[in-house]
Structure formats: structure tokens, C-alpha cells
Amino acid sequence: MAEISKEQVKHVANLARLEFDDEAVEQMANELSAIIEYAEQLNELDTDNVKPTTHVLDLKNVMRKDEPKKWITQEDALKNAPDQKDGQIRVPSILE
Amino acid sequence: MSLFDYTIKELEAKLHNQEITVEDLVKESYQQIKEVDGDVHAFLTLDEEKALEKARELDKRENKSGVLFGIPAGIKDNIVTKGLRTTCASQFLDNFTDPLYNATVVDKLDAENPVAVGKLNMDEFAMGSSNENSGYEPTRNPWNTDHVPGGSSGGSAAAVAAGEVLFSLGSDTGGSIRQPAAFCGVVGMKPTYGRVSRFGLVAFASSLDQIGPLTRTVEDNARVLEVIAGHDKMDSTSADVEVPAYTEALTGDVKGLKIAVPKEYLAEGVSEEVKNAVLEALKVYESLGATWEEVSLPHSKYALSTYYLLSSSEASANLARFDGVRYGVRSDNAENMLDMFVKSRSEGFGDEVKRRIMLGTFALSSGYYDAYYKKAQKVRTLIKNDFDKILEEYDVIVGPTTPTPAFKVGEKTSDPLTMYVNDILTIPVNLAGVPGISIPCGFSEDGLPIGLQVIGNYFDESTVYRAAHAFEQATEHHTKRPQLGGAK
């Protein structure tokens, strides 16, 4: 199962909030298929009794108190925003 | 001779004796940038006015304390700098001119008074091995501008090699400090995972990313790491482990040092001249009283697959934040909110970044998670166990940093897998989480640098530095300079 279809590429692109034209979809399908086919070498290894590594250090959950603090001003928060109005970040309409 | 041919320690003495001023150092930096950066393209953003102002202010100070006092430095452009444009070499962040805070490493540097001269070029979001994925003009190798500088910290390595700055910061997820250090003939350290705070490092793969210094000498490198290392409450994955004085480990003494040489690191795919340079280096270690034995890291050949599945999965999640709402370039062509996400991302990201997001999203998607992502996490355990076992018996692991010297621009861009294979000797180190350094150990017939990789145990950067320094001091490779770096 290494073949990734054009339909799968479109499905994954939608999940990732990306879009590709037809030519790019085809190229992406070929490239991802090649990478996944290569990666399937991992199936040579029996890992039934192996624990997954999510983190290389022996760290437990790091907790802190959830205390609000003043960090940035509203003005600062808007400094890099692509569009703003009346002290708010403005985005295109969400509802049709 | 350039002022940057001196070590930081030597420059410290010159500053104290008033032979030179900080302004001299900073002007030397910009002079060299003006001379060579049109060919090298190491910098994305310069901060000349502020840097000169800071230099003059430092020169006026009575108290010239700070272990990096007055030293010109460059910062990789995925490390956030307050008020100084930070793009990650992505068109998506082209307008991100006013970041609100400093990365912890930048604050830590600031406390020791270096002068940041600008932000350094890289592969977009640190995804790449050649800097050809930069969203701007790609960096070239100062030793030969037909060749790549490596990546993703290509600008960081090239700037140091070209004598534009005395040290730089890079980041290393699968070799992104060590590989360009090898290609550019400089010293590049990837510390233990968790050694240096990642707060303010724009995340690529959070379980692998680590910030580290690039310098011309091991001594300078140890000095910079001493400054930036340590626990940070802003990064819950940073380790609460004491930071030793790395510079004090540089004794030159490696008598009795036990070196492991993985046979997989000198196998097929590693070029003859690289192999020979490493074997010569082992002779140097023998002459210094160290011993070496061949060992095996049997799961090495699975590291590349494991890495691309894990790092791309993590990247797909980390890069979800780039939506065009709060910062970055928003598409002008969007009709509604969803459209704005899709178009901003599709127009702003380059091909490699999209490829990795797609691969990662696929590997994490329903129905494939166990087969790819979880499988890779399990193989990661096997790779880590390989290292743990060898490092129980040996002090360091030594091998090449890269299979070949720097390749030509355009040579590996047509097929992603060919490019990925280039990182086969550095990736396992990130998967295991241990520290690794690349130091110059020779030159190819074409005059391109070759890197020696020294890998150590968790939080034992001291032994890595000691081994690297002893070799460096016993050889001349680190004293050679590229034409563009001021060689006469």
C-alpha cells in the first residue's frame, strides 16, 4: 500500500488547509508515494513489544499555577496583524 | 588578517588593553558583509544603525563585563528577536517586522553584551539541507559559491566561515547545525535535547529541535553554549540540569578516552575522501593516547524514515498556527474565513514546507496514525537504545558529519529523497537526543571542507568539547580560510 492517490492528496490538503492545482496534485501524489514507500522499510522491524518514544528525556508533566499576568498591551498585540479595525483584528466573514 | 581570526578570549584581551574598540569589531563585521554578502547571501536582515549605536554605548562603559562583550554575532532567522524582523526565510513572514519578545537565548546572550548584527538566512522554516529552500536568495558556500552551504542553518555557518561575524546561533532538528558547519568548515554544536531553551525558536519538530552555536573554534563554541544553556521556565521541555563550565573541559588531554566508531557511519554511500579524513582523524586521536573500536548502531538505516515521519508530523501540527490572522502575510484573494486560511498558507509557503505538512498530515490522519506515526515512534526507541548501549561503554562516538563534502547548487533539488539522504549521519543523533558537534577534519580534492562528528552522552557536552578541542589543537584544519573569508 504505498500508492497515494490524487483523491487522497486532495483530502489531506483539505485537512492541512492547503490547495494545489491539478498538476501539483499529481506531483504531490507521486512524491508522497515515493516517500511513504521508502518509509515502509520500518515494517521490516518487529516492534510489538517496543514502547513508543514521545520524548527522549525522562520528564514528567511540568505543572505551574494558572495565574493571569499582564504580558502585552492591546496595541502591541495588533502591531503585526494584517488587518485591524477599532482595536480588533479583522477577518473576512465567517458566516455566509 | 581579520579581527575575526582571533578567538573571543583574545579579542577580550585586546578590548581590555584598549588596542581595539567594540566599534572596530562591529565595523569590521559590516565591512566584510558589504564585501562578500552579495555573493554569499548569508543575511536576510541587517541592523546596522542599532548595532553601531550599541557598539558606541559599550565602548563608553566603565564596566566591560560579559563573556561575549562587544563580539559581533548573527542569529538564525527562526529565533525571535524583539523589534527585529524574523521571517524563518518564509514569504509567509515577510512582513513580520516587529516581533513582541526575545527568544530566551537572545535574552541570555544580551546579558553578556555581544552585538547582534543581523538575522541569518536558512531553509524555509528550517526544512532543508542546502538553503535552496530559502524563500529569499539562497545562501552560497564561501569556499566555492557554485556549492551549497548546507542547511538548514546555512546562513549561520556561511556567515562565520566568511568572517562576517565571530559566532552565530543556529538550530538543529536533523543535522541543521552540524551539516552546514561541516560544509563550511566551521564548528557547530547541537546540544543535548533540552539543554537550551526553545522558547522563541519558531517550532519545526518540537521533540527534536535544539538551538546551538556555530563558531570558528571549539573554545569559542564552548563559551557561547555556556551562556545560552540552562533551564527555562518558559520551555517546559528544557532540562533542569546544572550547566558546567564547558571552557574548563578544554584540557587538551584525551589520554584513555574511549572512542566508538560505528561501522554504519563508514559504510556504502560515504565517499572515499570523507572516509579517509575520518580515518586520519582517528590516527590523531591514537597519537594523543585515545583508543577506538568499531561498533554497530544496527538501526541506523531506519533513522531517515523515522525522522521524516516524526518531524513532518510534528511540523504539520506546529505550522497550523500560520493562518494569516494575527501576523504574517494574508492573501488578498480570499472570499471568506476558510478561504483566507487556505489561500494565505498556499501562497505563503514554499514547496518543501507544503510537502512536509502534507506528509505529516497524512501520517497523523485517521487510519494511518498507527501504521506510520506510532510505528516511527517505536523505531525511535530502538535507535535511542542503540546509542544508550554504546555510550554505556564508550566516552564518545566518532564518525563523519556528512557522507560527502558540499554538493553543487541544483544537484539534489529534483528528488526530495536524494536530498534527505544527505542527513543520514546526523539524524540519528536528534532521534536519540544526545549532543553532537561537527569540527573541520580536512579538505576534499576540490578544496571543500570535511566535517568530523563527535557524539557524546546525555548532558555530557563537556566530554564532546574536550575531545573536539584536543583534535582541533593537534591539527591545522581550523586555521584555513576560504577566499571569501579573508584568505590571502
Side-chain angles (χ1 to χ4, degrees):
Chain A
M1 130 73 239
E3 204 63 31
I4 295 178
S5 68
K6 287 194 266 183
E7 285 315 305
Q8 273 176 298
V9 168
K10 285 180 192 163
H11 168 66
V12 173
N14 180 47
L15 294 175
R17 298 291 183 247
L18 290 170
E19 65 182 3
F20 300 96
D21 63 24
D22 288 347
E23 202 184 319
V25 166
E26 180 147 5
Q27 195 185 340
M28 189 62 73
N30 291 336
E31 286 171 349
L32 290 185
S33 296
I35 295 169
I36 288 293
E37 189 182 311
Y38 177 80
E40 285 190 353
Q41 64 158 191
L42 298 188
N43 294 330
E44 292 168 16
L45 295 167
D46 177 2
T47 53
D48 284 353
N49 297 313
V50 179
K51 276 194 185 160
T53 293
T54 50
H55 195 287
V56 290
L57 303 179
D58 191 23
L59 274 178
K60 300 281 176 286
N61 278 341
V62 180
M63 311 297 271
R64 63 167 171 78
K65 284 216 171 83
D66 186 18
E67 288 165 338
K69 65 172 188 178
K70 285 223 156 62
W71 185 61
I72 50 170
T73 62
Q74 184 179 19
E75 193 189 344
D76 276 349
L78 290 167
K79 261 184 186 173
N80 293 288
D83 193 11
Q84 53 178 289
K85 194 187 174 191
D86 301 335
Q88 314 271 335
I89 291 169
R90 182 161 64 181
V91 294
S93 66
I94 296 169
L95 301 169
E96 292 295 315
Chain B
M1 187 169 172
S2 154
L3 281 175
F4 297 169
D5 285 329
Y6 295 102
T7 64
I8 295 173
K9 197 173 172 183
E10 287 165 345
L11 290 174
E12 188 175 55
K14 283 180 184 299
L15 283 167
H16 276 278
N17 302 338
Q18 298 180 325
E19 276 175 62
I20 56 167
T21 62
V22 176
E23 194 175 344
D24 293 337
L25 284 170
V26 173
K27 279 191 167 159
E28 174 121 354
S29 184
Y30 286 107
Q31 183 55 38
Q32 182 66 1
I33 289 168
K34 273 171 200 125
E35 242 164 69
V36 305
D37 215 56
D39 295 316
V40 178
H41 303 290
F43 281 90
L44 291 174
T45 304
L46 293 172
D47 200 19
E48 187 165 0
E49 211 173 296
K50 266 201 206 138
L52 281 169
E53 200 178 297
K54 168 100 187 260
R56 288 178 197 126
E57 191 259 313
L58 289 177
D59 279 329
K60 276 188 206 130
R61 281 194 200 178
E62 288 282 315
N63 176 5
K64 298 200 189 306
S65 68
V67 298
L68 301 171
F69 190 90
I71 303 298
I75 312 285
K76 189 177 181 180
D77 210 24
N78 59 350
I79 296 173
V80 179
T81 43
K82 188 175 181 177
L84 183 59
R85 191 169 84 128
T86 300
T87 68
C88 299
S90 179
Q91 289 294 329
F92 190 98
L93 291 173
D94 186 62
N95 62 357
F96 191 43
T97 51
D98 207 353
L100 301 181
Y101 63 94
N102 275 331
T104 296
V105 288
V106 174
D107 278 339
K108 286 193 161 206
L109 282 183
D110 277 352
E112 301 297 332
N113 293 312
V115 181
V117 302
K119 303 296 294 286
L120 292 160
N121 208 346
M122 53 187 283
D123 286 294
E124 184 180 4
F125 289 110
M127 296 174 189
S129 315
S130 69
N131 258 45
E132 289 165 293
N133 297 334
S134 170
Y136 300 88
E137 188 64 39
T139 307
R140 299 296 183 100
N141 193 315
W143 291 88
N144 181 337
T145 52
D146 291 337
H147 290 253
V148 303
S152 67
S153 310
S156 302
V160 172
E164 295 173 307
V165 288
L166 203 63
F167 77 89
S168 63
L169 294 186
S171 67
D172 190 315
T173 306
S176 281
I177 289 173
R178 290 158 290 154
Q179 186 254 21
F183 279 11
C184 292
V186 299
V187 178
M189 172 64 126
K190 182 207 85 80
T192 308
Y193 180 80
R195 178 88 280 190
V196 177
S197 167
R198 294 183 296 108
F199 179 70
L201 171 68
V202 178
F204 161 15
S206 308
S207 79
L208 300 158
D209 296 341
Q210 190 58 194
I211 296 172
L214 295 99
T215 55
R216 280 184 162 178
T217 65
V218 175
E219 183 188 273
D220 284 357
N221 206 286
R223 192 180 264 245
V224 179
L225 184 61
E226 239 172 81
V227 172
I228 62 171
H231 180 248
D232 176 16
K233 67 177 182 356
M234 299 301 280
D235 173 6
S236 60
T237 63
S238 73
D240 199 357
V241 177
E242 202 188 329
V243 181
Y246 296 123
T247 42
E248 282 170 21
L250 312 178
T251 58
D253 182 6
V254 288
K255 255 189 217 86
L257 186 82
K258 288 172 79 180
I259 300 172
V261 180
K263 62 178 186 206
E264 293 82 3
Y265 281 43
L266 293 171
E268 198 190 339
V270 177
S271 76
E272 279 303 307
E273 43 189 5
V274 169
K275 205 179 292 181
N276 290 336
V278 171
L279 293 173
E280 283 300 314
L282 290 170
K283 281 188 197 154
V284 172
Y285 276 116
E286 277 177 5
S287 75
L288 295 171
T291 57
W292 67 273
E293 283 176 325
E294 192 178 276
V295 301
S296 176
L297 296 168
H299 296 95
S300 295
K301 71 168 183 169
Y302 301 104
L304 196 62
S305 300
T306 305
Y307 172 80
Y308 276 94
L309 289 171
L310 295 180
S311 66
S312 302
S313 297
E314 293 183 26
S316 72
N318 277 327
L319 270 65
R321 63 169 60 87
F322 298 105
D323 54 11
V325 175
R326 294 148 301 158
Y327 51 81
V329 177
R330 183 187 293 181
S331 171
D332 292 330
N333 308 314
E335 306 264 309
N336 57 45
M337 182 83 160
L338 184 58
D339 210 29
M340 181 194 75
F341 297 149
V342 172
K343 292 218 156 56
S344 300
R345 290 164 62 79
S346 300
E347 291 166 18
F349 293 149
D351 288 344
E352 182 64 23
V353 171
K354 289 181 198 168
R355 191 153 41 229
R356 306 246 190 144
I357 292 174
M358 289 291 288
L359 176 62
T361 307
F362 173 76
L364 292 176
S365 65
S366 169
Y368 298 100
Y369 178 88
D370 282 351
Y372 296 111
Y373 182 70
K374 200 163 177 197
K375 180 79 186 182
Q377 282 191 317
K378 288 179 165 193
V379 179
R380 183 174 186 180
T381 305
L382 298 175
I383 291 165
K384 182 182 185 303
N385 291 348
D386 283 355
F387 277 87
D388 288 352
K389 201 174 133 208
I390 298 299
L391 288 165
E392 258 173 42
E393 272 183 67
Y394 298 87
D395 299 310
V396 289
I397 298 170
V398 167
T401 309
T402 58
T404 65
F407 45 89
K408 282 199 163 140
V409 173
E411 195 180 316
K412 293 180 195 266
T413 43
S414 58
D415 172 23
L417 274 172
T418 320
M419 184 69 90
Y420 298 171
V421 168
N422 190 52
D423 295 329
I424 200 146
L425 304 173
T426 47
I427 279 173
V429 177
N430 299 79
L431 290 170
V434 291
I437 199 169
S438 180
I439 52 172
C441 75
F443 290 85
S444 71
E445 240 174 69
D446 301 335
L448 292 163
I450 297 171
L452 184 76
Q453 187 174 205
V454 181
I455 301 159
N457 216 333
Y458 296 92
F459 299 106
D460 192 13
E461 285 83 2
S462 289
T463 303
V464 174
Y465 277 133
R466 178 161 63 93
H469 177 256
F471 174 81
E472 177 194 70
Q473 295 303 306
T475 55
E476 300 280 309
H477 310 297
H478 67 290
T479 62
K480 298 212 171 62
R481 301 278 177 258
Q483 206 84 54
L484 288 172
K488 298 287 181 285

